[in-house]
Amino acid sequence: MQEHVSEWGIHWNFYGTISVVSFALVFLQDIRHSLLYAVVIITGYEFALTSFGLKDYIFYSPRVNLISANKEGIFSSFGYLALALIGMTFGRYVFLALHTPSPESLGEQSKREKKLLVKLVL
């Protein structure tokens, strides 16, 4: 199925965006700051769209080189990166909430570990 050029660009497609986002996540997946990174990226992207004329560039500029030919897909990668970081942050909070043991079970677990250690030593 052929998409219109205004969706991703001439050479770009969804797999290009996924590749860029996956590559960027390697550098930005700090557990403590991923939500902060997402807010900074999405705020900067929105600010560039509205204040610096990025929206006009994306909608109206001619396609004369590789960047301008694929401008929709390239610049949408920032939004997808921010969404991926927000999703990772949410997933970490859910995972930690589901797998954090209660203080009572920690005491029982340490007793079991001590018994196992004694059995292994003897």
Side-chain angles (χ1 to χ4, degrees), residues 45-61:
Y45 182 56
E46 185 67 28
F47 190 69
L49 283 170
T50 57
S51 299
F52 291 117
L54 184 60
K55 179 175 68 170
D56 292 331
Y57 173 73
I58 292 172
F59 284 146
Y60 305 115
S61 70

Side-chain angles (χ1 to χ4, degrees), residues 21-37:
V21 169
S22 297
F23 184 73
L25 285 176
V26 170
F27 298 105
L28 296 176
Q29 61 180 341
D30 185 11
I31 294 173
R32 299 170 307 218
H33 299 107
S34 59
L35 184 61
L36 176 66
Y37 293 152

Side-chain angles (χ1 to χ4, degrees), residues 101-115:
S102 64
E104 296 83 23
S105 66
L106 284 177
E108 294 172 10
Q109 183 179 1
S110 63
K111 289 178 188 176
R112 278 184 269 145
E113 288 174 353
K114 287 178 187 176
K115 287 180 183 178

Side-chain angles (χ1 to χ4, degrees), residues 7-89:
E7 187 174 356
W8 293 103
I10 295 176
H11 309 100
W12 201 270
N13 59 24
F14 184 68
Y15 298 109
T17 302
I18 293 295
S19 300
V20 168
V21 169
S22 297
F23 184 73
L25 285 176
V26 170
F27 298 105
L28 296 176
Q29 61 180 341
D30 185 11
I31 294 173
R32 299 170 307 218
H33 299 107
S34 59
L35 184 61
L36 176 66
Y37 293 152
V39 169
V40 167
I41 290 169
I42 202 70
T43 304
Y45 182 56
E46 185 67 28
F47 190 69
L49 283 170
T50 57
S51 299
F52 291 117
L54 184 60
K55 179 175 68 170
D56 292 331
Y57 173 73
I58 292 172
F59 284 146
Y60 305 115
S61 70
R63 300 176 189 277
V64 294
N65 58 20
L66 189 63
I67 301 293
S68 65
N70 301 298
K71 58 192 172 200
E72 296 90 353
I74 291 170
F75 290 111
S76 70
S77 298
F78 292 105
Y80 284 108
L81 176 61
L83 287 174
L85 287 167
I86 290 169
M88 286 175 52
T89 302

